[in-house]
Amino acid sequence: NAGVTQTPKFQVLKTGQSMTLQCAQDMNHNSMYWYRQDPGMGLRLIYYSASEGTTDKGEVPNGYNVSRLNKREFSLRLESAAPSQTSVYFCASSEATGDAPLHFGNGTRLTVT
Amino acid sequence: LAKTTQPISMDSYEGQEVNITCSHNNIATNDYITWYQQFPSQGPRFIIQGYKTKVTNEVASLFIPADRKSSTLSLPRVSLSDTAVYYCLVGDEGKDTGRRALTFGSGTRLQVQP
């Protein structure tokens, strides 16, 4: 039982390049989330998906797109990376949105030069 | 939009009890209060959740007064391995959809000394 799996673990991009961060969960959870965490800061919600087929913006959605591919998978895409998007990205899942406890992956460390 | 306020940092010694208080003045009637722990280079980990009064599990206790405008996470007899950042969360409602998701504040950095 792997929980929440994120790939890749590390990535370096040049400004303007694009990439997709992958996330998969094996807990049959309905809801999935993408957060970013900048050094010394708390986590900020980028997008979330309450259930398969729905996605909603969080606090900081600009510059990102998401796809809820199926119940297990929720990907985050950077179409044109910027240095301000250098951060650690965490994917999480929960049984439902609202107050259900979140289960996190171990993060993707992204550097944009 | 429910927001939380916590101390930025706290120091303690091994074996002591640590209490971290979180303020959430605008908590909604149906909001629960949830606490997470985060170690460096890891995702946050759920510790405890409560709605009112007191909740206890094998890791911590959570005290919530009647007005629910604050809550206190209590860690009994901390050890060096409890050094981490602790986050207090309440639910937020999505602007357009009303769907709710948890948003994090800056957390409290707890340093436990030998």
Side-chain angles (χ1 to χ4, degrees):
Chain A
N1 188 342
V4 178
T5 303
Q6 293 184 235
T7 55
K9 288 187 169 58
F10 300 94
Q11 184 70 48
V12 179
L13 292 177
K14 292 188 189 319
T15 297
Q17 287 186 319
S18 62
M19 80 161 294
T20 300
L21 281 65
Q22 307 286 354
C23 175
Q25 52 92 8
D26 62 4
M27 294 171 283
N28 202 34
H29 284 166
N30 288 310
S31 302
M32 297 185 74
Y33 310 78
W34 277 104
Y35 290 88
R36 63 175 286 177
Q37 185 172 36
D38 299 326
M41 308 279 287
L43 286 80
R44 292 184 290 170
L45 182 64
I46 305 171
Y47 271 94
Y48 63 106
S49 171
S51 60
E52 190 178 351
T54 68
T55 60
D56 293 299
K57 295 178 181 178
E59 301 171 80
V60 288
N62 292 343
Y64 304 95
N65 286 302
V66 289
S67 295
R68 184 73 184 267
L69 303 170
N70 47 55
K71 191 171 186 179
R72 287 188 65 246
E73 298 173 286
F74 188 39
S75 63
L76 178 73
R77 183 159 177 83
L78 286 72
E79 290 291 351
S80 178
S84 61
Q85 294 178 305
T86 294
S87 191
V88 180
Y89 291 84
F90 288 101
C91 176
S93 70
S94 67
E95 289 185 2
T97 56
D99 302 294
L102 298 166
H103 299 256
F104 282 85
N106 283 327
T108 295
R109 189 173 298 273
L110 175 66
T111 302
V112 183
T113 61
Chain B
L1 189 68
K3 286 192 174 182
T4 59
T5 304
Q6 304 174 233
I8 294 172
S9 63
M10 296 181 70
D11 292 308
S12 183
Y13 293 94
E14 281 192 295
Q16 288 189 333
E17 178 184 75
V18 170
N19 295 309
I20 306 174
T21 297
C22 179
S23 168
H24 28 79
N25 290 319
N26 297 322
I27 189 168
T29 303
N30 55 346
D31 275 338
Y32 279 73
I33 299 145
T34 313
W35 286 80
Y36 289 79
Q37 175 191 56
Q38 186 181 26
F39 298 114
S41 301
Q42 293 185 25
R45 181 175 74 103
F46 170 81
I47 301 176
I48 197 166
Q49 184 180 68
Y51 184 79
K52 62 180 179 180
T53 63
K54 177 183 174 182
V55 180
T56 297
N57 62 22
E58 64 278 4
V59 176
S61 294
L62 179 59
F63 298 92
I64 305 167
D67 66 7
R68 303 195 336 116
K69 292 184 184 300
S70 66
S71 58
T72 299
L73 175 73
S74 181
L75 305 172
R77 295 182 298 282
V78 293
S79 64
L80 295 177
S81 63
D82 292 314
T83 293
V85 179
Y86 293 82
Y87 295 96
C88 159
L89 281 74
V90 295
D92 274 335
E93 195 157 282
K95 286 180 190 173
D96 300 321
T97 65
R99 277 191 279 270
R100 300 165 58 73
L102 291 172
T103 57
F104 287 72
S106 299
T108 298
R109 191 172 300 273
L110 173 65
Q111 180 70 49
V112 180
Q113 311 273 8

